[in-house]
Amino acid sequence: MSDLEPENDEKEEEQEQPEELDPAKLLETTAALQEDEDLANIVTAEEYLMCKDVVLLEYEKQMFLDQVQADGLLVCAKGLSYERVLINILKAYSDSGNLVLVINSSDWEEKYLKSKMEPKYVHEVANTATERERVYVEGGLQFISTRILVVDLLKQRIPIELISGIIVLRAHTIIESCQEAFALRLYRQKNKTGFVKAFSSSPEAFTIGYSHVERTLRNLFVKNLYIWPRFHATVRGSLQPWQTQTIELHVPLSQNMTSIQTHILDIMNFLVREIKRINRTVDMDAVTVENCVTKKFHKILQAQLDCIWHQLNSQTKLIVADLKILRSLMISTMYHDAVSAYALMKRYRSTEYALSNSGWTLLDAAEQIFKLSRQRVFNGQQEFEPEPCPKWQALTDLLTQDIPGDMRRCRRTEQPKVLILCQDARTCHQLKQYLTQGGPRFLLQQALHHEMPVGKLSDKYAKEGHGREAPLKQASYKKEPLKEEASNSQPPAAGLDELAQLLSESEAEGQHFEESYMLTMTQPLVQEPLLDIKPDPDVSIFETIPELEQFDVTAALAALPHQPYICLQTFKTESEGSMALEHMLEQLQPHYVVMYNTNVTAIRQLEVFEARRRLPPADRMRVYFLIHARTVEEQAYLTSLRREKAAFELIIDTKSKMVIPEYQDGKTDEAFLLFKNYDDELAGENAKSRQAGGQVSQAPKETPKVIVDMREFRSDLPCLIHKRGLEVLPLTITIGDYILTPDVCVERKSISDLIGSLNSGRLYNQCVQMQRHYAKPILLIEFDQNKPFHLQGKFMLSQQTSMANADIVQKLQLLTLHFPRLRLIWSPSPYATAQLFEELKLGKPEPDPQKAVALGSDEPTAGEQLHFNSGIYDFLLRLPGVHTRNIHGLLRKGGSLRQLLLRSQKELEELLQSQESAKLLYDILHVAHLPEKDEVAGSTALLAAGKQFGAGSHNRFRKAAAESRRGRR
């Protein structure tokens, strides 16, 4: 017992020791618990918003909570940007333990989101497959192109089970056959726990087509729909208390502009009535004068008329084109200067256009439009005196009088920062030139640029020009090189195709101008110089800031700390999209904003920006609207508002009525829409083997496989093939696009691709390769599902079209003659093609991937040794009597072509195993055919010139030449 006592003492000491270390261990446990709580906070959305002190507006917090708690599609109004919500969702999942994929983002969205994330969590997509496999395992955020993602998912380079979730942007573009839907289907098949969160800011897109909302939800594998219009109570509550002070300035149009607008609307009204009269059976509800003047008119028209375009007569097509042209004339009159508008009008007064329009140029209203457009540039004595844009004077008054006056009233000591917002780069450039040079000089430059004969300047115009020459030079010397560069890079207006311009006239030309300019004043706007400005308010007192060459606003503000800033900016830019305005507002922090053109998105962005700042009313920015009241400009703005409201009402109504299956999210086995079960087909077949009373069960049927060329993943077909339950194997193959069985190879061509490859000869070479290596080569000609199923439009096969398109049918006939085994399949859509592939594969063996890759490569594989010269093989196949069944015997025993010519008909019969085939081949090799007239003339010329045909020459030409001489005698 005594021996055990020390041990017991030791045990007691050991038990006492932990009690002494309890506080330290407790601290460790507390730290661990705290860490666990932090992790829990990231998962719990409410705690995340509170703990992290995230700056979000009330409605943005609600958006965040909705999307985090349950997967869904979020549709918000334009301007109520979901970007901040998305950034916080991405931050919440930013961890090396998570792999989050962002798909379908535009370039500027990707750039913006990456800039807001921690660089260690954002991984660039690697170029090689091995690198990508390594990057996927590292986790974090991946902005990836869907085509690469689909191939990696099919090849199992990406650990699908480890993907935390996929975020889909621009969700309104997700249709059943697109690559994004394909990627999501592959993801959901093997990953039942990850999330799918989709975002869209285009409610109007969901109104096009039948049950667009339900189909989009089904393609995204989400069950919830979150709708956030501007009239939502939470949005109103978030923005209402922080409203900016807005001043609406109604600028009247000039008399000529009002008359031009009235006449263009009259012609539009006439054409709309005419198009409805001609097509009484076609639904033309979308074709109204109100819609004709709005921005999305061509998209609405295309969606409505594309599928029936081939049924419309030529007059209807001309009217549609003319409605687009009239809209471009309206835009030019309202927004561009008088000289540019007149230059555009002149293009449509040419004889060529008069012969190719619907007849509107013959109307009295059209004559008035041309006359009034000229009057805006030349006065009654035909002297050059263009009228300035009505908004120019209003803008000058704002910058030189109203804003300085407001500064005095508010007793602001700092210099004003003014942001002027325009609809496009062309307007932006126009205002910059006007503010730095003055109106008269800019209009004269425009006339010279459009090669307009100026003639004599009016006295008033010349006087204005001389009076402003000195300040203009002083004000604009810094930016002169840019101006010349912009005008030189613009294509000459005369060479443009009228019908090609149509609606995007301003956008197409706008790309040659800068999208942002920053100006300052040659003298600060203090109270004393204001008196000097009033006598001549149009004098150019603005100059550009050279620091803005690289668009560095911060450097520009630092360079000129005590001078006023006037920044010209478009609503959205190519590099930053609609986020450009938000970025500029944050950098510049303007005191005044001038809306030179109206835009719904920009107005809401200003509201949201002010709500974020939460400033007292005196410090908030003041917004001026320059608007032509009771004109097309105001109508277009109101129409866009009405259209968005109607779209949201439709989506809300759809949400209240639509039935969503429980399995739509794809997280359960009931999601039968993911795959087709081929075991069901076996039940329908007669059980041929009833062994032991049916005790031996049949083995499950293997999933059919289709080998698809990598380049084909640009099309919709691989997605639709997979949707029908076929397994897609992406490989780089040289011959064909799709390998269905070991014998069947398919080359897919769209209509435009077919024409191009027929004309270039590429298709001929592809058919040669297919026929050489496959028993059943197929040429699949696939049409667009939204277009009619016949050659039409620019591919119309009629005598009016060019020779390049007219001989397509003859080339296809030649193709079938050259390749007797080639089968042509005409498919109306990718959906029909997918069904056809499925039927062609029934009961057929599966293709061998290794063999498919090896075929056509430079090095022949073991099973594919070429024993014959391929050129001789192809040549013999074209000879009468030679076909695939007897060509191998002919190649083995025939020797050479020279020996073949020396063989008798009997010998050929033994070689070809057919008397009829031997006779055909013997005749073609030995019978002299009578040549055509031009061939006779050519042979005579050859004989006379050099006696090039010796004793061993063919008798054919000698006989022909002799007959020709006999005939002349």
Side-chain angles (χ1 to χ4, degrees), residues 29-43:
T29 314
T30 313
L33 286 169
Q34 184 62 44
E35 190 177 345
D36 289 345
E37 271 184 37
D38 286 346
L39 289 170
N41 286 341
I42 294 174
V43 177

Side-chain angles (χ1 to χ4, degrees), residues 232-408:
H232 196 291
T234 314
V235 178
R236 280 212 309 266
S238 302
L239 302 181
Q240 197 80 26
W242 313 102
Q243 278 194 332
T244 58
Q245 186 179 354
T246 56
I247 298 101
E248 200 169 301
L249 300 174
H250 289 185
V251 181
L253 289 176
S254 68
Q255 186 60 44
N256 286 340
M257 287 174 75
T258 309
S259 302
I260 290 171
Q261 177 189 268
T262 307
H263 290 310
I264 291 177
L265 288 172
D266 285 346
I267 297 172
M268 279 184 167
N269 191 29
F270 168 75
L271 292 179
V272 165
R273 280 189 282 113
E274 189 69 12
I275 200 172
K276 288 183 177 177
R277 183 186 65 77
I278 296 169
N279 304 282
R280 293 184 187 279
T281 57
V282 181
D283 180 20
M284 291 278 181
D285 291 344
V287 185
T288 62
V289 176
E290 183 185 4
N291 282 341
C292 286
V293 296
T294 54
K295 192 176 182 182
K296 298 280 179 69
F297 171 61
H298 61 297
K299 289 185 180 175
I300 296 168
L301 211 57
Q302 191 175 357
Q304 187 141 4
L305 298 180
D306 243 2
C307 52
I308 55 163
W309 189 251
H310 64 295
Q311 298 173 9
L312 304 177
N313 60 14
S314 56
Q315 182 67 5
T316 305
K317 293 175 183 178
L318 288 173
I319 289 173
V320 169
D322 288 343
L323 283 171
K324 293 178 181 179
I325 286 169
L326 286 165
R327 182 180 178 274
S328 73
L329 295 180
M330 180 75 82
I331 288 171
S332 187
T333 305
M334 297 293 294
Y335 301 128
H336 300 163
D337 56 275
V339 177
S340 300
Y342 177 54
L344 183 63
M345 293 282 184
K346 277 173 67 179
R347 281 193 236 164
Y348 299 111
R349 216 177 179 192
S350 62
T351 314
E352 295 80 13
Y353 179 69
L355 296 170
S356 63
N357 68 39
S358 59
W360 70 270
T361 51
L362 303 175
L363 300 172
D364 292 340
E367 191 58 38
Q368 288 296 317
I369 289 170
F370 295 133
K371 193 172 83 175
L372 290 165
S373 296
R374 184 174 175 79
Q375 285 178 12
R376 289 185 69 204
V377 180
F378 298 97
N379 61 16
Q381 287 75 41
Q382 298 305 310
E383 295 172 332
F384 184 72
E385 190 183 335
E387 65 177 42
C389 294
K391 287 186 182 180
W392 284 358
Q393 185 58 48
L395 181 64
T396 306
D397 291 345
L398 265 180
L399 295 176
T400 56
Q401 296 173 24
D402 295 10
I403 289 175
D406 186 68
M407 294 287 287
R408 285 200 302 275

Side-chain angles (χ1 to χ4, degrees), residues 476-537:
S476 64
Y477 76 97
K478 288 184 180 177
K479 204 72 172 185
E480 199 69 32
L482 177 69
K483 176 184 66 60
E484 288 173 7
E485 182 191 330
S487 61
N488 289 339
S489 62
Q490 195 171 347
L496 294 170
D497 178 17
E498 292 85 5
L499 294 175
Q501 294 305 304
L502 296 180
L503 212 60
S504 56
E505 177 75 33
S506 55
E507 287 88 342
E509 294 186 2
Q511 65 190 359
H512 300 288
F513 305 119
E514 298 291 327
E515 292 168 319
S516 304
Y517 299 96
M518 202 167 200
L519 314 175
T520 185
M521 294 194 178
T522 50
Q523 46 191 339
L525 270 180
V526 289
Q527 293 171 14
E528 292 80 19
L530 277 175
L531 301 171
D532 302 332
I533 294 170
K534 283 182 183 177
D536 193 0

Side-chain angles (χ1 to χ4, degrees), residues 186 295 309 335 342 346 367 746 763 819 844 897 917:
L186 292 167
K295 192 176 182 182
W309 189 251
Y335 301 128
Y342 177 54
K346 277 173 67 179
E367 191 58 38
V746 180
L763 183 57
F819 305 103
K844 302 288 192 306
L897 284 173
S917 298

Side-chain angles (χ1 to χ4, degrees), residues 807-824:
D807 60 356
I808 295 165
V809 169
Q810 287 118 4
K811 286 180 178 175
L812 281 174
Q813 288 168 347
L814 280 172
L815 203 67
T816 51
L817 287 171
H818 276 294
F819 305 103
R821 285 189 290 134
L822 181 70
R823 297 288 176 264
L824 262 64

Side-chain angles (χ1 to χ4, degrees), residues 632-740:
V632 168
E633 182 185 26
E634 187 180 39
Q635 184 58 48
Y637 172 70
L638 295 173
T639 302
S640 61
L641 275 177
R642 178 185 58 77
R643 224 189 246 158
E644 187 190 71
K645 185 170 178 285
F648 270 118
E649 285 170 354
L650 176 69
I651 296 170
I652 292 165
D653 184 55
T654 306
K655 184 181 178 180
S656 66
K657 293 176 182 175
M658 67 183 178
V659 178
I660 297 175
E662 192 61 35
Y663 53 76
Q664 183 163 297
D665 56 6
K667 293 184 178 180
T668 60
D669 293 333
E670 292 178 63
F672 58 85
L673 70 163
L674 284 178
F675 49 85
K676 188 174 178 181
N677 194 352
Y678 276 84
D679 296 338
D680 298 341
E681 292 177 10
L682 293 171
E685 297 177 0
N686 292 325
K688 293 177 183 175
S689 56
R690 296 190 177 182
Q691 296 166 359
Q695 291 174 14
V696 179
S697 60
Q698 281 186 323
K701 194 172 180 181
E702 189 183 357
T703 306
K705 297 180 177 62
V706 177
I707 295 171
V708 182
D709 186 30
M710 287 286 200
R711 292 172 287 268
E712 277 297 300
F713 281 91
R714 294 188 184 94
S715 69
D716 297 343
L717 189 52
C719 172
L720 297 172
I721 292 171
H722 183 269
K723 188 157 191 195
R724 293 196 73 86
L726 279 69
E727 188 180 339
V728 175
L729 303 176
L731 296 169
T732 305
I733 53 178
T734 316
I735 300 169
D737 294 326
Y738 299 86
I739 312 297
L740 305 184

